[in-house]
């Protein structure tokens, strides 16, 4: 499973970035940052689930939910920027 995820992650990333336009670089950076945020959400959600399963403290759970909310807001903003970048790719 990890190998499949690794091959998917590297699928469209060129090894030499010098030939990319500014728009392509912005799109790649945005896509990379969004993927990182989504992995962060996945990790924090896993910690929250573990906290619930083991009867962890309510204070810890509240902190995890707060972190999830912040990551979600950041990912939503970034997804909007990514949408604009990919929708304008042909007009650049």
């Amino acid at each position: 499973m990890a190998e499949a995820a690794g091959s998917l992650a590297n699928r469209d990333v060129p090894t030499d970035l010098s030939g990319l336009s500014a728009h392509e670089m912005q799109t790649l950076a945005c896509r990379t940052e969004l993927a990182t945020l989504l992995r962060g959400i996945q990790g924090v959600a896993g910690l929250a689930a573990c906290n619930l399963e083991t009867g962890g403290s309510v204070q810890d759970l509240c902190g995890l939910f707060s972190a999830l909310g912040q990551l979600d807001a950041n990912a939503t903003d970034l997804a909007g920027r990514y949408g604009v970048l990919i929708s304008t790719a042909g007009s650049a």
Side-chain angles (χ1 to χ4, degrees):
M1 183 76 164
E3 291 174 15
S7 65
L8 285 175
N10 297 324
R11 180 177 52 184
D12 294 329
V13 180
T15 55
D16 179 13
L17 302 179
S18 64
L20 295 180
S21 68
H23 187 270
E24 289 169 325
M25 285 294 289
Q26 288 176 334
T27 302
L28 179 59
C30 190
R31 190 172 81 185
T32 302
E33 189 176 348
L34 185 56
T36 301
L37 274 171
L38 293 174
R39 285 188 186 97
I41 289 170
Q42 182 180 23
V44 173
L47 290 173
C50 188
N51 178 289
L52 287 168
E53 290 170 349
T54 61
S57 77
V58 172
Q59 185 177 4
D60 286 348
L61 189 59
C62 288
L64 291 168
F65 283 143
S66 176
L68 275 173
Q70 185 61 47
L71 288 169
D72 178 59
N74 291 348
T76 299
D77 291 343
L78 197 55
R81 278 195 337 203
Y82 181 64
V84 169
L85 285 168
I86 61 173
S87 68
T88 60
S91 62

